[in-house]
Amino acid sequence: MKYFRIHEHPEHGLEAVKDGFSWPALFFGIFWMLYKQLWYPLMYLLAAGAGLLLLEGVLVATIVPFYYHDLVFMIFGAISLAIAIWVGTQANQWYAGKLRFIGYKEVSQQISGSPELAISQYQAAKS
């Protein structure tokens, strides 16, 4: 069972956001952020990714082309994995923050198996 926070908007209805880790955000990162329209975290993530890619290219092309080439790729792979894990831990909080920003109010907390079931449980308890 998962813990969901139910957000309600007067015009747009209900939205359930799971507390905790987001596996889709871990695996699909940028695409998940585009789908959820999380523009500010996406811009920071893209800037960080571009900076890492540029730094990696400079290191591989100039400083360590013959001796530590594989080590550089391993280090930047580990950094990329750490960033992906961080995105997975923060993604649902970012999405809940976006909902609050556009006018949603948190109205309930539900323990449920899916977002749809959490919303239906809230609606059943409300009526």
Side-chain angles (χ1 to χ4, degrees), residues 2-82:
K2 301 167 191 154
Y3 187 76
F4 290 92
R5 295 182 186 270
I6 309 298
H7 299 266
E8 186 171 21
H9 191 277
E11 297 170 8
H12 302 295
L14 297 169
E15 190 78 31
V17 180
K18 184 181 77 133
D19 271 357
F21 195 81
S22 174
W23 289 101
L26 171 76
F27 290 116
F28 302 109
I30 292 171
F31 300 109
W32 183 87
M33 294 168 107
L34 285 169
Y35 177 73
K36 296 291 186 174
Q37 297 178 354
L38 297 171
W39 307 124
Y40 291 116
L42 178 63
M43 287 188 313
Y44 290 118
L45 185 64
L46 288 174
L52 282 174
L53 190 60
L54 181 64
L55 181 61
E56 183 177 11
V58 167
L59 286 176
V60 168
T62 60
I63 300 171
V64 288
F66 300 109
Y67 301 108
Y68 302 107
H69 194 263
D70 293 335
L71 179 63
V72 170
F73 286 124
M74 287 174 45
I75 290 170
F76 282 94
I79 292 170
S80 297
L81 178 62

